[in-house]
Amino acid sequence: MPSFTAHSSVSQPDLDSFSKHLKSSKRILALCGAGLSASSGLPTFRGAGGYWRTYDATQLATSEAFMEDPSLVWQFYNYRRHMALQAKPNRAHFALAELARRNPDFLTISQNVDGLSPRAHHPAETLELLHGSLYDVKCTNFHCDYVEQNNFTDPIVPALEIPQNTGADLDISDAEVPLKDISTGDLPHCPKCKTALLRPGVVWFGEPLPVKTVSRIDDWTSQHIDLILVIGTSAIVYPAAGYIATARKMGARVAVVNMERPDSGASKLNAGDWFFQGDARVVVPQILEAVTGNIEEPR
Ligand code: BV8
């Protein structure tokens, strides 16, 4: 029976073999998903937190939903902006940032739009936010090029103020709490063309990923890769999930950090892969410690 390390279910022999490979790895890729931020208090998409009111989050993350009911979709995104601003990056975000500082040939591809990796001071040049950010906004007018980054205004417009004291522990993410009927005129509008609505600067389902981001990642993954860390993702969404197979093709060993053992899909374990079961907040700092040193719990 392998001995387990003190504070997680990571077995010592796995940790030793992984640490040895980590220390000898030059080109390391990390693919992160909502599980990385779960312990910061942000619900995941497909886990229990995958619903907002009565909607599967993926039903609201589309341009069709926005065109049909911009008020509902803006209330969804303004709520997530607010919640992510209240949340704090956890030790796993900081550990990845430290690995990035110590290894210039490291790249984090994050599917998360919650802004927590940038707030953990992850070096920007080795962080690709594949699906954009809740804190970017852009104009919906095809002929207007207005884009604003790092807009942390909360609420983004007064009309989207989240109603408080809506009953014991309930908020607008609960279907029992009525949503405000916000007229389109009171939603965020473009300050440049002054006509069109602004939308969240995220990639919706059915939309192409930013060309610059994809080509940067394609460049980076066109050379040999020593290791890919697959952290807190169900690996269901493409093209993000496809980077795991790409990394394998480029020679990478695979280490999966997840609460559940992935038995199918893009992150299905192959012989020789490491699987570290547990909360990313606990497991990621532990498995990276051989290179990053001890990562303190953020105060
Ligand atoms: C594209 C931003 C092509 C928005 C997101 C029909 C038409 C077009 C495309 C498609 C189509 N059908 C399918 C597709 C492809 C589609 C897709 O993949 N769909 C899926 C549902 C099958 N992809 C797209 O649409 C992409 N675009 O293909 O364009 C194209 C090309 C040219 C021209 C036109 C079109 C765009 C996809 C991007 C969508 N945007 N986010 C927003 O956030 O609101 S996706 C969003 O969902 C996230 O970013 C992320 O990618 C995904 C959620 O996945 P995870 O992050 O993994 O989270 P999840 O909850 O699923 O899993 C959490 C995991 O963590 C679990 O495994 C859990 O066990 C684990 N966990 C939980 N707690 C912890 C933990 N692990 C560790 N510690 C813990 N504490």
Side-chain angles (χ1 to χ4, degrees), residues 105-152:
D105 230 345
F106 171 70
L107 180 66
T108 292
I109 300 175
S110 182
Q111 301 169 84
N112 298 338
V113 295
D114 56 32
L116 293 186
S117 278
R119 282 173 54 197
H121 315 303
H122 191 302
E125 63 278 9
T126 52
L127 173 64
E128 288 296 345
L129 299 178
L130 196 63
H131 296 155
S133 168
L134 290 170
Y135 303 103
D136 295 350
V137 286
K138 60 185 185 183
C139 185
T140 54
N141 173 355
F142 179 79
H143 301 290
C144 177
D145 62 359
Y146 182 79
V147 178
E148 181 187 357
Q149 294 194 309
N150 301 322
N151 172 317
F152 297 107

mmCIF file of all heavy atoms in Angstrom, residues 105-152:
data_model
loop_
_atom_site.group_PDB
_atom_site.id
_atom_site.type_symbol
_atom_site.label_atom_id
_atom_site.label_comp_id
_atom_site.label_asym_id
_atom_site.label_seq_id
_atom_site.Cartn_x
_atom_site.Cartn_y
_atom_site.Cartn_z
ATOM 1 N N ASP A 105 9.852 28.632 -20.407
ATOM 2 C CA ASP A 105 9.284 27.835 -21.497
ATOM 3 C C ASP A 105 8.029 27.113 -21.030
ATOM 4 O O ASP A 105 7.747 25.988 -21.416
ATOM 5 C CB ASP A 105 10.312 26.811 -21.982
ATOM 6 C CG ASP A 105 10.425 26.912 -23.502
ATOM 7 O OD1 ASP A 105 9.522 27.537 -24.095
ATOM 8 O OD2 ASP A 105 11.393 26.394 -24.064
ATOM 9 N N PHE A 106 7.291 27.785 -20.141
ATOM 10 C CA PHE A 106 6.046 27.230 -19.600
ATOM 11 C C PHE A 106 4.883 28.048 -20.149
ATOM 12 O O PHE A 106 5.014 29.258 -20.333
ATOM 13 C CB PHE A 106 6.096 27.349 -18.069
ATOM 14 C CG PHE A 106 4.812 27.030 -17.377
ATOM 15 C CD1 PHE A 106 4.338 25.717 -17.328
ATOM 16 C CD2 PHE A 106 4.052 28.026 -16.776
ATOM 17 C CE1 PHE A 106 3.140 25.420 -16.681
ATOM 18 C CE2 PHE A 106 2.858 27.731 -16.135
ATOM 19 C CZ PHE A 106 2.407 26.429 -16.099
ATOM 20 N N LEU A 107 3.774 27.384 -20.479
ATOM 21 C CA LEU A 107 2.609 28.117 -20.989
ATOM 22 C C LEU A 107 1.349 27.599 -20.294
ATOM 23 O O LEU A 107 1.127 26.394 -20.246
ATOM 24 C CB LEU A 107 2.475 27.928 -22.503
ATOM 25 C CG LEU A 107 1.289 28.641 -23.156
ATOM 26 C CD1 LEU A 107 1.454 30.172 -23.079
ATOM 27 C CD2 LEU A 107 1.142 28.225 -24.623
ATOM 28 N N THR A 108 0.589 28.523 -19.734
ATOM 29 C CA THR A 108 -0.720 28.171 -19.179
ATOM 30 C C THR A 108 -1.799 28.541 -20.191
ATOM 31 O O THR A 108 -1.877 29.689 -20.642
ATOM 32 C CB THR A 108 -0.994 28.933 -17.867
ATOM 33 O OG1 THR A 108 -0.095 28.464 -16.851
ATOM 34 C CG2 THR A 108 -2.425 28.690 -17.385
ATOM 35 N N ILE A 109 -2.606 27.552 -20.572
ATOM 36 C CA ILE A 109 -3.810 27.823 -21.363
ATOM 37 C C ILE A 109 -4.976 27.709 -20.386
ATOM 38 O O ILE A 109 -5.222 26.629 -19.840
ATOM 39 C CB ILE A 109 -3.994 26.784 -22.484
ATOM 40 C CG1 ILE A 109 -2.790 26.781 -23.443
ATOM 41 C CG2 ILE A 109 -5.292 27.042 -23.239
ATOM 42 C CD1 ILE A 109 -2.868 25.690 -24.506
ATOM 43 N N SER A 110 -5.653 28.849 -20.110
ATOM 44 C CA SER A 110 -6.776 28.774 -19.179
ATOM 45 C C SER A 110 -8.099 28.974 -19.905
ATOM 46 O O SER A 110 -8.235 29.893 -20.714
ATOM 47 C CB SER A 110 -6.646 29.821 -18.066
ATOM 48 O OG SER A 110 -7.735 29.667 -17.164
ATOM 49 N N GLN A 111 -9.046 28.106 -19.585
ATOM 50 C CA GLN A 111 -10.408 28.248 -20.117
ATOM 51 C C GLN A 111 -11.225 29.188 -19.228
ATOM 52 O O GLN A 111 -12.355 29.525 -19.542
ATOM 53 C CB GLN A 111 -11.101 26.895 -20.179
ATOM 54 C CG GLN A 111 -10.402 25.861 -21.039
ATOM 55 C CD GLN A 111 -10.989 24.487 -20.829
ATOM 56 O OE1 GLN A 111 -12.005 24.121 -21.443
ATOM 57 N NE2 GLN A 111 -10.390 23.699 -19.939
ATOM 58 N N ASN A 112 -10.652 29.553 -18.096
ATOM 59 C CA ASN A 112 -11.381 30.355 -17.108
ATOM 60 C C ASN A 112 -11.385 31.824 -17.501
ATOM 61 O O ASN A 112 -10.376 32.356 -17.963
ATOM 62 C CB ASN A 112 -10.749 30.184 -15.721
ATOM 63 C CG ASN A 112 -10.815 28.750 -15.240
ATOM 64 O OD1 ASN A 112 -11.660 27.973 -15.702
ATOM 65 N ND2 ASN A 112 -9.914 28.368 -14.347
ATOM 66 N N VAL A 113 -12.539 32.448 -17.312
ATOM 67 C CA VAL A 113 -12.714 33.874 -17.661
ATOM 68 C C VAL A 113 -12.805 34.721 -16.389
ATOM 69 O O VAL A 113 -13.085 35.912 -16.441
ATOM 70 C CB VAL A 113 -13.994 34.058 -18.527
ATOM 71 C CG1 VAL A 113 -13.843 33.342 -19.861
ATOM 72 C CG2 VAL A 113 -15.251 33.563 -17.800
ATOM 73 N N ASP A 114 -12.494 34.091 -15.230
ATOM 74 C CA ASP A 114 -12.761 34.710 -13.930
ATOM 75 C C ASP A 114 -11.687 35.699 -13.472
ATOM 76 O O ASP A 114 -11.827 36.330 -12.430
ATOM 77 C CB ASP A 114 -12.950 33.613 -12.856
ATOM 78 C CG ASP A 114 -11.744 32.671 -12.770
ATOM 79 O OD1 ASP A 114 -10.602 33.117 -13.012
ATOM 80 O OD2 ASP A 114 -11.950 31.478 -12.459
ATOM 81 N N GLY A 115 -10.614 35.824 -14.221
ATOM 82 C CA GLY A 115 -9.592 36.823 -13.872
ATOM 83 C C GLY A 115 -8.703 36.417 -12.719
ATOM 84 O O GLY A 115 -7.859 37.217 -12.281
ATOM 85 N N LEU A 116 -8.838 35.200 -12.192
ATOM 86 C CA LEU A 116 -8.077 34.835 -10.990
ATOM 87 C C LEU A 116 -6.604 34.547 -11.283
ATOM 88 O O LEU A 116 -5.736 34.852 -10.466
ATOM 89 C CB LEU A 116 -8.728 33.650 -10.266
ATOM 90 C CG LEU A 116 -10.101 33.941 -9.649
ATOM 91 C CD1 LEU A 116 -10.585 32.740 -8.822
ATOM 92 C CD2 LEU A 116 -10.078 35.185 -8.758
ATOM 93 N N SER A 117 -6.278 34.014 -12.452
ATOM 94 C CA SER A 117 -4.854 33.787 -12.736
ATOM 95 C C SER A 117 -4.098 35.109 -12.892
ATOM 96 O O SER A 117 -3.035 35.283 -12.289
ATOM 97 C CB SER A 117 -4.677 32.904 -13.970
ATOM 98 O OG SER A 117 -4.818 31.537 -13.604
ATOM 99 N N PRO A 118 -4.656 36.094 -13.643
ATOM 100 C CA PRO A 118 -3.971 37.393 -13.682
ATOM 101 C C PRO A 118 -3.847 38.015 -12.282
ATOM 102 O O PRO A 118 -2.818 38.592 -11.941
ATOM 103 C CB PRO A 118 -4.866 38.239 -14.595
ATOM 104 C CG PRO A 118 -5.576 37.245 -15.460
ATOM 105 C CD PRO A 118 -5.789 36.034 -14.592
ATOM 106 N N ARG A 119 -4.889 37.824 -11.439
ATOM 107 C CA ARG A 119 -4.817 38.414 -10.087
ATOM 108 C C ARG A 119 -3.819 37.670 -9.201
ATOM 109 O O ARG A 119 -3.426 38.166 -8.146
ATOM 110 C CB ARG A 119 -6.212 38.421 -9.445
ATOM 111 C CG ARG A 119 -7.111 39.547 -9.975
ATOM 112 C CD ARG A 119 -8.531 39.438 -9.476
ATOM 113 N NE ARG A 119 -8.614 39.353 -8.025
ATOM 114 C CZ ARG A 119 -9.707 38.924 -7.389
ATOM 115 N NH1 ARG A 119 -10.772 38.510 -8.090
ATOM 116 N NH2 ARG A 119 -9.738 38.875 -6.081
ATOM 117 N N ALA A 120 -3.425 36.461 -9.624
ATOM 118 C CA ALA A 120 -2.381 35.720 -8.877
ATOM 119 C C ALA A 120 -1.006 36.071 -9.439
ATOM 120 O O ALA A 120 -0.026 35.385 -9.165
ATOM 121 C CB ALA A 120 -2.639 34.207 -8.972
ATOM 122 N N HIS A 121 -0.967 37.144 -10.211
ATOM 123 C CA HIS A 121 0.286 37.659 -10.811
ATOM 124 C C HIS A 121 0.951 36.635 -11.729
ATOM 125 O O HIS A 121 2.170 36.550 -11.797
ATOM 126 C CB HIS A 121 1.263 38.104 -9.707
ATOM 127 C CG HIS A 121 0.611 38.906 -8.634
ATOM 128 N ND1 HIS A 121 -0.082 40.089 -8.906
ATOM 129 C CD2 HIS A 121 0.446 38.677 -7.303
ATOM 130 C CE1 HIS A 121 -0.595 40.550 -7.768
ATOM 131 N NE2 HIS A 121 -0.299 39.719 -6.794
ATOM 132 N N HIS A 122 0.121 35.810 -12.398
ATOM 133 C CA HIS A 122 0.685 34.899 -13.415
ATOM 134 C C HIS A 122 1.265 35.795 -14.506
ATOM 135 O O HIS A 122 0.577 36.661 -15.030
ATOM 136 C CB HIS A 122 -0.398 34.005 -13.984
ATOM 137 C CG HIS A 122 0.128 32.878 -14.835
ATOM 138 N ND1 HIS A 122 0.895 33.092 -15.953
ATOM 139 C CD2 HIS A 122 0.011 31.540 -14.714
ATOM 140 C CE1 HIS A 122 1.226 31.912 -16.483
ATOM 141 N NE2 HIS A 122 0.713 30.973 -15.751
ATOM 142 N N PRO A 123 2.545 35.615 -14.856
ATOM 143 C CA PRO A 123 3.128 36.460 -15.918
ATOM 144 C C PRO A 123 2.253 36.422 -17.176
ATOM 145 O O PRO A 123 1.919 35.346 -17.661
ATOM 146 C CB PRO A 123 4.483 35.807 -16.169
ATOM 147 C CG PRO A 123 4.822 35.045 -14.928
ATOM 148 C CD PRO A 123 3.503 34.612 -14.350
ATOM 149 N N ALA A 124 1.899 37.606 -17.675
ATOM 150 C CA ALA A 124 0.931 37.693 -18.786
ATOM 151 C C ALA A 124 1.468 37.028 -20.051
ATOM 152 O O ALA A 124 0.721 36.455 -20.828
ATOM 153 C CB ALA A 124 0.616 39.160 -19.045
ATOM 154 N N GLU A 125 2.809 37.089 -20.206
ATOM 155 C CA GLU A 125 3.372 36.576 -21.469
ATOM 156 C C GLU A 125 3.326 35.045 -21.538
ATOM 157 O O GLU A 125 3.521 34.466 -22.599
ATOM 158 C CB GLU A 125 4.806 37.092 -21.683
ATOM 159 C CG GLU A 125 5.822 36.653 -20.655
ATOM 160 C CD GLU A 125 5.790 37.499 -19.372
ATOM 161 O OE1 GLU A 125 4.859 38.317 -19.209
ATOM 162 O OE2 GLU A 125 6.682 37.295 -18.526
ATOM 163 N N THR A 126 3.029 34.388 -20.438
ATOM 164 C CA THR A 126 2.935 32.909 -20.511
ATOM 165 C C THR A 126 1.561 32.435 -20.065
ATOM 166 O O THR A 126 1.407 31.335 -19.540
ATOM 167 C CB THR A 126 4.015 32.254 -19.616
ATOM 168 O OG1 THR A 126 3.912 32.828 -18.313
ATOM 169 C CG2 THR A 126 5.395 32.449 -20.200
ATOM 170 N N LEU A 127 0.554 33.324 -20.245
ATOM 171 C CA LEU A 127 -0.822 32.967 -19.883
ATOM 172 C C LEU A 127 -1.724 33.280 -21.063
ATOM 173 O O LEU A 127 -1.808 34.436 -21.499
ATOM 174 C CB LEU A 127 -1.275 33.785 -18.655
ATOM 175 C CG LEU A 127 -2.748 33.669 -18.243
ATOM 176 C CD1 LEU A 127 -3.097 32.235 -17.810
ATOM 177 C CD2 LEU A 127 -3.058 34.650 -17.106
ATOM 178 N N GLU A 128 -2.369 32.277 -21.608
ATOM 179 C CA GLU A 128 -3.323 32.502 -22.694
ATOM 180 C C GLU A 128 -4.735 32.248 -22.170
ATOM 181 O O GLU A 128 -5.058 31.139 -21.757
ATOM 182 C CB GLU A 128 -3.033 31.577 -23.888
ATOM 183 C CG GLU A 128 -1.785 31.940 -24.672
ATOM 184 C CD GLU A 128 -1.874 33.311 -25.359
ATOM 185 O OE1 GLU A 128 -2.997 33.871 -25.473
ATOM 186 O OE2 GLU A 128 -0.804 33.831 -25.738
ATOM 187 N N LEU A 129 -5.553 33.324 -22.161
ATOM 188 C CA LEU A 129 -6.948 33.180 -21.716
ATOM 189 C C LEU A 129 -7.759 32.806 -22.953
ATOM 190 O O LEU A 129 -8.222 33.672 -23.694
ATOM 191 C CB LEU A 129 -7.420 34.480 -21.075
ATOM 192 C CG LEU A 129 -6.628 34.906 -19.830
ATOM 193 C CD1 LEU A 129 -7.156 36.232 -19.294
ATOM 194 C CD2 LEU A 129 -6.649 33.835 -18.751
ATOM 195 N N LEU A 130 -7.922 31.518 -23.137
ATOM 196 C CA LEU A 130 -8.442 30.983 -24.397
ATOM 197 C C LEU A 130 -9.856 31.467 -24.685
ATOM 198 O O LEU A 130 -10.232 31.692 -25.836
ATOM 199 C CB LEU A 130 -8.445 29.445 -24.293
ATOM 200 C CG LEU A 130 -8.579 28.666 -25.568
ATOM 201 C CD1 LEU A 130 -7.403 28.909 -26.499
ATOM 202 C CD2 LEU A 130 -8.659 27.167 -25.241
ATOM 203 N N HIS A 131 -10.658 31.655 -23.632
ATOM 204 C CA HIS A 131 -12.055 32.030 -23.834
ATOM 205 C C HIS A 131 -12.347 33.457 -23.400
ATOM 206 O O HIS A 131 -13.490 33.817 -23.152
ATOM 207 C CB HIS A 131 -12.964 31.030 -23.088
ATOM 208 C CG HIS A 131 -12.848 29.648 -23.646
ATOM 209 N ND1 HIS A 131 -13.132 28.516 -22.907
ATOM 210 C CD2 HIS A 131 -12.450 29.190 -24.869
ATOM 211 C CE1 HIS A 131 -12.920 27.434 -23.657
ATOM 212 N NE2 HIS A 131 -12.500 27.820 -24.842
ATOM 213 N N GLY A 132 -11.279 34.254 -23.296
ATOM 214 C CA GLY A 132 -11.458 35.675 -22.981
ATOM 215 C C GLY A 132 -11.578 35.909 -21.486
ATOM 216 O O GLY A 132 -11.142 35.101 -20.678
ATOM 217 N N SER A 133 -12.186 37.043 -21.139
ATOM 218 C CA SER A 133 -12.289 37.439 -19.734
ATOM 219 C C SER A 133 -13.623 38.135 -19.472
ATOM 220 O O SER A 133 -14.110 38.906 -20.307
ATOM 221 C CB SER A 133 -11.148 38.417 -19.381
ATOM 222 O OG SER A 133 -11.408 39.006 -18.110
ATOM 223 N N LEU A 134 -14.157 37.886 -18.282
ATOM 224 C CA LEU A 134 -15.388 38.577 -17.859
ATOM 225 C C LEU A 134 -15.161 40.083 -17.811
ATOM 226 O O LEU A 134 -16.109 40.866 -17.843
ATOM 227 C CB LEU A 134 -15.784 38.097 -16.448
ATOM 228 C CG LEU A 134 -16.298 36.670 -16.305
ATOM 229 C CD1 LEU A 134 -16.400 36.300 -14.824
ATOM 230 C CD2 LEU A 134 -17.638 36.483 -17.013
ATOM 231 N N TYR A 135 -13.882 40.507 -17.737
ATOM 232 C CA TYR A 135 -13.590 41.932 -17.498
ATOM 233 C C TYR A 135 -13.164 42.650 -18.776
ATOM 234 O O TYR A 135 -12.740 43.793 -18.740
ATOM 235 C CB TYR A 135 -12.531 42.058 -16.375
ATOM 236 C CG TYR A 135 -13.058 41.370 -15.147
ATOM 237 C CD1 TYR A 135 -12.597 40.110 -14.767
ATOM 238 C CD2 TYR A 135 -14.129 41.906 -14.441
ATOM 239 C CE1 TYR A 135 -13.149 39.433 -13.691
ATOM 240 C CE2 TYR A 135 -14.691 41.241 -13.351
ATOM 241 C CZ TYR A 135 -14.208 39.997 -12.993
ATOM 242 O OH TYR A 135 -14.776 39.308 -11.947
ATOM 243 N N ASP A 136 -13.335 41.948 -19.891
ATOM 244 C CA ASP A 136 -13.222 42.604 -21.197
ATOM 245 C C ASP A 136 -14.650 42.817 -21.703
ATOM 246 O O ASP A 136 -15.530 41.995 -21.466
ATOM 247 C CB ASP A 136 -12.471 41.722 -22.209
ATOM 248 C CG ASP A 136 -11.013 41.488 -21.806
ATOM 249 O OD1 ASP A 136 -10.558 42.157 -20.854
ATOM 250 O OD2 ASP A 136 -10.370 40.612 -22.421
ATOM 251 N N VAL A 137 -14.853 43.966 -22.366
ATOM 252 C CA VAL A 137 -16.155 44.200 -23.018
ATOM 253 C C VAL A 137 -15.868 44.668 -24.441
ATOM 254 O O VAL A 137 -14.798 45.221 -24.717
ATOM 255 C CB VAL A 137 -17.010 45.267 -22.280
ATOM 256 C CG1 VAL A 137 -17.583 44.713 -21.000
ATOM 257 C CG2 VAL A 137 -16.225 46.534 -22.023
ATOM 258 N N LYS A 138 -16.802 44.395 -25.316
ATOM 259 C CA LYS A 138 -16.585 44.843 -26.706
ATOM 260 C C LYS A 138 -17.921 45.200 -27.352
ATOM 261 O O LYS A 138 -18.985 44.754 -26.899
ATOM 262 C CB LYS A 138 -15.852 43.757 -27.501
ATOM 263 C CG LYS A 138 -16.554 42.426 -27.611
ATOM 264 C CD LYS A 138 -15.650 41.413 -28.331
ATOM 265 C CE LYS A 138 -16.374 40.098 -28.579
ATOM 266 N NZ LYS A 138 -15.508 39.080 -29.211
ATOM 267 N N CYS A 139 -17.826 46.015 -28.399
ATOM 268 C CA CYS A 139 -19.041 46.507 -29.065
ATOM 269 C C CYS A 139 -19.638 45.394 -29.930
ATOM 270 O O CYS A 139 -18.925 44.590 -30.519
ATOM 271 C CB CYS A 139 -18.697 47.725 -29.933
ATOM 272 S SG CYS A 139 -20.164 48.481 -30.665
ATOM 273 N N THR A 140 -20.976 45.382 -30.010
ATOM 274 C CA THR A 140 -21.651 44.359 -30.832
ATOM 275 C C THR A 140 -21.874 44.841 -32.259
ATOM 276 O O THR A 140 -22.382 44.082 -33.078
ATOM 277 C CB THR A 140 -23.032 44.018 -30.216
ATOM 278 O OG1 THR A 140 -23.769 45.247 -30.060
ATOM 279 C CG2 THR A 140 -22.878 43.323 -28.862
ATOM 280 N N ASN A 141 -21.491 46.096 -32.509
ATOM 281 C CA ASN A 141 -21.656 46.651 -33.864
ATOM 282 C C ASN A 141 -20.494 46.147 -34.725
ATOM 283 O O ASN A 141 -19.328 46.461 -34.468
ATOM 284 C CB ASN A 141 -21.648 48.182 -33.763
ATOM 285 C CG ASN A 141 -21.630 48.853 -35.129
ATOM 286 O OD1 ASN A 141 -21.538 48.181 -36.167
ATOM 287 N ND2 ASN A 141 -21.707 50.172 -35.115
ATOM 288 N N PHE A 142 -20.827 45.381 -35.766
ATOM 289 C CA PHE A 142 -19.806 44.740 -36.611
ATOM 290 C C PHE A 142 -18.797 45.760 -37.132
ATOM 291 O O PHE A 142 -17.615 45.482 -37.302
ATOM 292 C CB PHE A 142 -20.529 44.034 -37.776
ATOM 293 C CG PHE A 142 -19.609 43.342 -38.736
ATOM 294 C CD1 PHE A 142 -19.072 42.098 -38.413
ATOM 295 C CD2 PHE A 142 -19.224 43.946 -39.940
ATOM 296 C CE1 PHE A 142 -18.200 41.439 -39.282
ATOM 297 C CE2 PHE A 142 -18.350 43.301 -40.812
ATOM 298 C CZ PHE A 142 -17.839 42.051 -40.488
ATOM 299 N N HIS A 143 -19.285 47.012 -37.349
ATOM 300 C CA HIS A 143 -18.403 48.026 -37.963
ATOM 301 C C HIS A 143 -17.651 48.851 -36.919
ATOM 302 O O HIS A 143 -16.918 49.760 -37.250
ATOM 303 C CB HIS A 143 -19.232 48.961 -38.859
ATOM 304 C CG HIS A 143 -19.949 48.210 -39.947
ATOM 305 N ND1 HIS A 143 -19.289 47.626 -41.013
ATOM 306 C CD2 HIS A 143 -21.262 47.879 -40.091
ATOM 307 C CE1 HIS A 143 -20.165 46.994 -41.784
ATOM 308 N NE2 HIS A 143 -21.365 47.120 -41.248
ATOM 309 N N CYS A 144 -17.846 48.530 -35.647
ATOM 310 C CA CYS A 144 -17.173 49.300 -34.588
ATOM 311 C C CYS A 144 -16.144 48.388 -33.916
ATOM 312 O O CYS A 144 -16.447 47.244 -33.582
ATOM 313 C CB CYS A 144 -18.211 49.772 -33.566
ATOM 314 S SG CYS A 144 -17.495 50.647 -32.159
ATOM 315 N N ASP A 145 -14.938 48.933 -33.710
ATOM 316 C CA ASP A 145 -13.859 48.066 -33.180
ATOM 317 C C ASP A 145 -13.615 48.282 -31.683
ATOM 318 O O ASP A 145 -12.591 47.904 -31.153
ATOM 319 C CB ASP A 145 -12.560 48.345 -33.953
ATOM 320 C CG ASP A 145 -12.106 49.810 -33.768
ATOM 321 O OD1 ASP A 145 -12.833 50.575 -33.064
ATOM 322 O OD2 ASP A 145 -11.044 50.163 -34.303
ATOM 323 N N TYR A 146 -14.588 48.879 -30.994
ATOM 324 C CA TYR A 146 -14.358 49.205 -29.579
ATOM 325 C C TYR A 146 -14.200 47.949 -28.721
ATOM 326 O O TYR A 146 -15.037 47.046 -28.753
ATOM 327 C CB TYR A 146 -15.531 50.023 -29.021
ATOM 328 C CG TYR A 146 -15.327 50.429 -27.569
ATOM 329 C CD1 TYR A 146 -14.505 51.497 -27.218
ATOM 330 C CD2 TYR A 146 -15.934 49.685 -26.537
ATOM 331 C CE1 TYR A 146 -14.297 51.838 -25.891
ATOM 332 C CE2 TYR A 146 -15.724 50.019 -25.206
ATOM 333 C CZ TYR A 146 -14.909 51.099 -24.891
ATOM 334 O OH TYR A 146 -14.699 51.430 -23.562
ATOM 335 N N VAL A 147 -13.078 47.859 -28.035
ATOM 336 C CA VAL A 147 -12.826 46.792 -27.055
ATOM 337 C C VAL A 147 -12.226 47.458 -25.828
ATOM 338 O O VAL A 147 -11.374 48.340 -25.966
ATOM 339 C CB VAL A 147 -11.809 45.753 -27.583
ATOM 340 C CG1 VAL A 147 -11.546 44.678 -26.515
ATOM 341 C CG2 VAL A 147 -12.313 45.105 -28.865
ATOM 342 N N GLU A 148 -12.708 47.093 -24.648
ATOM 343 C CA GLU A 148 -12.129 47.618 -23.408
ATOM 344 C C GLU A 148 -11.686 46.446 -22.556
ATOM 345 O O GLU A 148 -12.454 45.490 -22.348
ATOM 346 C CB GLU A 148 -13.170 48.453 -22.644
ATOM 347 C CG GLU A 148 -12.632 49.044 -21.346
ATOM 348 C CD GLU A 148 -13.713 49.734 -20.522
ATOM 349 O OE1 GLU A 148 -14.868 49.793 -20.983
ATOM 350 O OE2 GLU A 148 -13.384 50.183 -19.403
ATOM 351 N N GLN A 149 -10.416 46.486 -22.085
ATOM 352 C CA GLN A 149 -9.938 45.399 -21.217
ATOM 353 C C GLN A 149 -9.914 45.875 -19.766
ATOM 354 O O GLN A 149 -9.896 47.066 -19.496
ATOM 355 C CB GLN A 149 -8.520 44.984 -21.663
ATOM 356 C CG GLN A 149 -8.557 44.353 -23.070
ATOM 357 C CD GLN A 149 -7.269 43.639 -23.409
ATOM 358 O OE1 GLN A 149 -6.200 44.227 -23.273
ATOM 359 N NE2 GLN A 149 -7.383 42.377 -23.825
ATOM 360 N N ASN A 150 -9.933 44.928 -18.845
ATOM 361 C CA ASN A 150 -9.819 45.254 -17.410
ATOM 362 C C ASN A 150 -10.840 46.272 -16.947
ATOM 363 O O ASN A 150 -10.516 47.217 -16.220
ATOM 364 C CB ASN A 150 -8.387 45.736 -17.092
ATOM 365 C CG ASN A 150 -7.361 44.665 -17.459
ATOM 366 O OD1 ASN A 150 -7.632 43.473 -17.265
ATOM 367 N ND2 ASN A 150 -6.246 45.080 -18.034
ATOM 368 N N ASN A 151 -12.076 46.050 -17.396
ATOM 369 C CA ASN A 151 -13.178 46.884 -16.885
ATOM 370 C C ASN A 151 -13.727 46.181 -15.655
ATOM 371 O O ASN A 151 -14.458 45.183 -15.767
ATOM 372 C CB ASN A 151 -14.266 47.013 -17.959
ATOM 373 C CG ASN A 151 -15.511 47.696 -17.402
ATOM 374 O OD1 ASN A 151 -15.944 47.400 -16.290
ATOM 375 N ND2 ASN A 151 -16.071 48.613 -18.150
ATOM 376 N N PHE A 152 -13.374 46.680 -14.466
ATOM 377 C CA PHE A 152 -13.774 46.021 -13.208
ATOM 378 C C PHE A 152 -14.956 46.747 -12.549
ATOM 379 O O PHE A 152 -15.240 46.516 -11.372
ATOM 380 C CB PHE A 152 -12.584 45.941 -12.250
ATOM 381 C CG PHE A 152 -11.447 45.097 -12.792
ATOM 382 C CD1 PHE A 152 -10.266 45.683 -13.242
ATOM 383 C CD2 PHE A 152 -11.587 43.713 -12.902
ATOM 384 C CE1 PHE A 152 -9.235 44.914 -13.773
ATOM 385 C CE2 PHE A 152 -10.556 42.936 -13.434
ATOM 386 C CZ PHE A 152 -9.378 43.531 -13.876
#
